[in-house]
Each structure stands twice: as structure tokens, then as C-alpha cells.
Amino acid sequence: MAKEYDIIIVGGGPAGLTAAIYSARARLKTLIIEKAVPGGQIATTGLVENYPGFPDGVMGGELSQLMADQAKKFDTETISAEVLSLEVRDNERVIHTSEGDYSAKAVILAGGADPTKLGIPGENEFTGKGVSYCATCDGPFFINKVVAVIGGGDSAVDEGMFLTRFASKVIVIHRRDQLRATKIIQERAFANPKMEFIWDTVVEAIEGNEVVQRLQLKNVKTQERRTLEVGGVFVYVGLRPNTDFLKSILALSPDGHILVNEQMETAIPGIFAAGDIRVNAARQAVSAAGDGATAALAAEKYLSQVGH
Ligand code: NAP
């Protein structure tokens, strides 16, 4: 027998935790299912300077802990489990997880996104041995080492700057000759003497012995190849939504994001999506929180319509 709730929220990042705060304050029995610790991507981010209400910025870990505390204060229940599948039965939505089954009339999918992998030789082999996707988690292991960061977006440049606290030099390797990152982040990076940039270049392979020692690079304009000696490499080439388990039941965009309308409703009544998992998300903590609130309000309305 599945354990019953009014609303089940899959994912405990800013979208899921905000949805939980709204849902629990509406006196709906709310469960958050989170595969790791609550917080989402923001929990592994350094200083967050663009979340309103924190004029001096706030550390990502602290911000997510505050959100989790706030959700808990309103009696939201949280379990740690991996979601395996979602089943739609008349008015009931059943979530099958690694820890058993849970059912509710409304479900909010807020499972966010995971880092995209490069898919090059050596990447999987050296993950945890010099290849990392989280500067906040692994930066302190690279004291006085030369590290590379791959990517040209906000994450690559922001996290590269964070790594200059530990590394002797941070080399950003970008496939174009212009960064995608926000201008203020670019200005700070260009002014930082520990930051260097290699333009128009892709990494073809990550090599080493026990740990990462070098990268094989190719300039995409000149086709010239060369080797770069590094002590570690941080990959920040975008995010992939966690929607594999939904492919057979929900409409997804070509790159796997859930299609929703302005109320965060999917094509299936009673199933909503919020944050980085949905199509056209701004992919910011604050917009994810906004999505969470919208989805919870829409779910509350749906529950009253189906006679909850
Ligand atoms: P992103 O904005 O999608 O940037 C990904 C970067 O990786 C791009 O520069 C892209 O190159 C490059 N890239 C993609 N695939 C590649 C490949 N196979 N090989 C080499 N390079 C590749 O991802 P993100 O930086 O993780 O940011 C995700 C979202 O979070 C964004 O909306 C961002 O604004 C937000 N964010 C905001 C902040 C902040 O506000 N402080 C901090 C972190 C993240 P091209 O430029 O050529 O496409």
C-alpha cells in the first residue's frame, strides 16, 4: 500500500522547497522526495549575490539550509529516496521510489538538473581523481595546483573565480572566443591575475596516471593540437534535466525539459513542474523559487476542483 499525501514534491532545491512552504502553509499534507540532501544545485554553489534579500550575498549552502528549515517549520515531511517511476491512476498519482511507494492527488516535479558531461575519453575514469563538477565541494583538494575549468557560462567563470582561492592558476578553456557569462562576472574574472583563458578550444581527452595530469586540447579554428599540464579539471558545460523516468508519460522538449503552461501545469491534470526541470526556465535560484510558488498555488486550486 502506498503511503498517502495531498501533495508530493519530487526534488528539494529552491523550487521544491518553496512549493513545500506554500503547500504546507495551505494545510496540505506535503511530502518532499529528495535523492540526496535537500538544497539542490544552489547548495553546492559558493557566494550567491543575486538572491534578493541578501545585500552582502549569501553562501549557497546557507541559503538552501534556510529554505529547508523554513519548509520543515511548517511540518513538511522529507524522505531520502530515488524516484524510479510515476504512475497515473484516475485521480491518484503514485510515485515508485527506492524506498517504497507514495501516492497523492497532486505531484510537483522539481527534480532540477545535473551537470552535463563532456563525454570525452578519461572523463569517467578520472571523476573523483582530478575531474570534478563541483568547485565548492572539491576546490580545497587543489591547493597550489594549476586547474582547468571547461565552459564559458556563469558556472564556469564563477566557480573558476572561487577556485583561485586554492589553485595557483585557473585556466578557463572555452570553445568560442567570447564568454556567455554575465558581464559583471566576466569583468571580475578578467581582472583576477590568477585567471587565464584559452579561447576557441575544446578538450579532446583527459589523461593521467592515478590522477589527472594533462589535457589534450584542439583549437577549433586552426585545428592545432597541444597538451596542457594540469592538476585537475572542473567541467561546467551546462545542465541536463532529471527527466529520464518521465519520458514515457510526459511531453518533454527535445533536450528533455518538461513542457508546462504559465501555471506550471503539465499535460496531465494534477502533475506540475517547477524550476530547472521545466522548459524555458530562467535557471536561477530565485526564478526556481517563483516557479515553486506558482506550482503549489496551481496544485492547491486543482485539489479544490477535484473535491479535496
Ligand atoms: P550554460 O549557461 O548553459 O553554459 C554552458 C557553457 O558550456 C557555455 O559556455 C557552452 O558554450 C559550454 N559548452 C556546452 N557544451 C559544451 C561542450 N560539449 N564542450 C565545451 N563547452 C561546452 O550553463 P551554466 O554556466 O552551468 O549555467 C546554467 C544556468 O545557471 C544559466 O542560466 C546561468 O545563468 C545560471 N547560473 C547563474 C549564476 C549566477 O547568476 N551567478 C551562476 C551559475 C549559473 P557556448 O557558450 O559556446 O554555448
Side-chain angles (χ1 to χ4, degrees):
M1 272 281 284
K3 207 170 165 196
E4 287 181 19
Y5 291 83
D6 298 324
I7 295 191
I8 295 176
I9 298 163
V10 178
L17 291 169
T18 306
I21 292 165
Y22 275 72
S23 157
R25 289 188 77 248
R27 294 284 182 246
L28 295 166
K29 192 177 175 201
T30 305
L31 174 71
I32 300 176
I33 305 176
E34 166 59 51
K35 70 175 174 211
V37 281
Q41 290 168 58
I42 200 79
T44 59
T45 306
L47 189 68
V48 178
E49 284 190 312
N50 52 8
Y51 199 90
F54 298 91
D56 298 324
V58 56
M59 294 307 285
E62 187 188 345
L63 180 60
S64 50
Q65 189 57 54
L66 287 168
M67 290 184 194
D69 290 348
Q70 199 170 345
K72 200 170 170 194
K73 181 182 145 189
F74 294 111
D75 292 333
T76 304
E77 211 177 300
T78 303
I79 61 153
S80 179
E82 188 173 347
V83 174
L84 305 173
S85 60
L86 166 59
E87 191 188 335
V88 178
R89 289 185 201 155
D90 297 327
N91 272 344
E92 198 187 9
R93 280 86 191 88
V94 183
I95 306 215
H96 302 283
T97 82
S98 56
E99 307 302 316
D101 296 345
Y102 299 85
S103 84
K105 284 203 175 79
V107 167
I108 298 175
L109 299 165
D114 280 340
T116 306
K117 292 200 164 190
L118 280 167
I120 56 171
E123 185 179 20
N124 286 341
E125 184 188 344
F126 290 107
T127 294
K129 297 173 186 166
V131 174
S132 171
Y133 302 84
C134 178
T136 314
C137 322
D138 298 328
F141 297 121
F142 295 88
I143 290 170
N144 291 331
K145 292 195 172 156
V146 174
V147 299
V149 174
I150 304 170
D154 282 329
S155 300
V157 183
D158 231 5
E159 302 302 320
M161 291 281 282
F162 174 77
L163 288 168
T164 60
R165 296 186 196 185
F166 314 99
S168 57
K169 188 159 59 171
V170 175
I171 305 171
V172 177
I173 302 169
H174 184 35
R175 64 182 177 183
R176 292 188 294 131
D177 61 359
Q178 266 187 354
L179 296 173
R180 178 182 293 279
T182 313
K183 284 284 177 289
I184 191 169
I185 295 176
Q186 292 194 30
E187 286 163 14
R188 287 178 192 162
F190 292 141
N192 186 324
K194 279 190 171 184
M195 296 283 283
E196 283 184 16
F197 295 83
I198 297 180
W199 304 107
D200 299 314
T201 297
V202 293
V203 180
E204 291 191 313
I206 300 169
E207 295 174 351
N209 195 355
E210 299 279 289
V211 293
V212 170
Q213 290 171 323
R214 61 196 165 271
L215 305 177
Q216 297 301 344
L217 307 184
K218 184 174 106 177
N219 184 302
V220 292
K221 283 193 175 154
T222 63
Q223 309 302 316
E224 191 187 316
R225 288 191 161 84
R226 67 167 163 132
T227 301
L228 179 73
E229 306 278 331
V230 292
V233 53
F234 289 77
V235 181
Y236 284 107
V237 293
L239 303 166
R240 189 174 161 273
N242 288 314
T243 52
D244 285 350
F245 72 103
L246 297 166
K247 272 181 191 152
S248 58
I249 59 161
L250 272 182
L252 304 177
S253 69
D255 60 357
H257 292 89
I258 301 172
L259 304 184
V260 288
N261 65 13
E262 284 169 5
Q263 272 66 53
M264 304 298 138
E265 292 165 322
T266 68
I268 300 178
I271 301 183
F272 306 80
D276 284 5
I277 201 165
R278 65 119 167 151
V279 76
N280 293 336
R283 300 193 295 179
Q284 305 292 308
V286 66
S287 55
D291 276 8
T294 304
L297 292 170
E300 197 186 326
K301 194 169 158 200
Y302 169 80
L303 288 174
S304 65
Q305 280 166 355
V306 295
H308 180 76

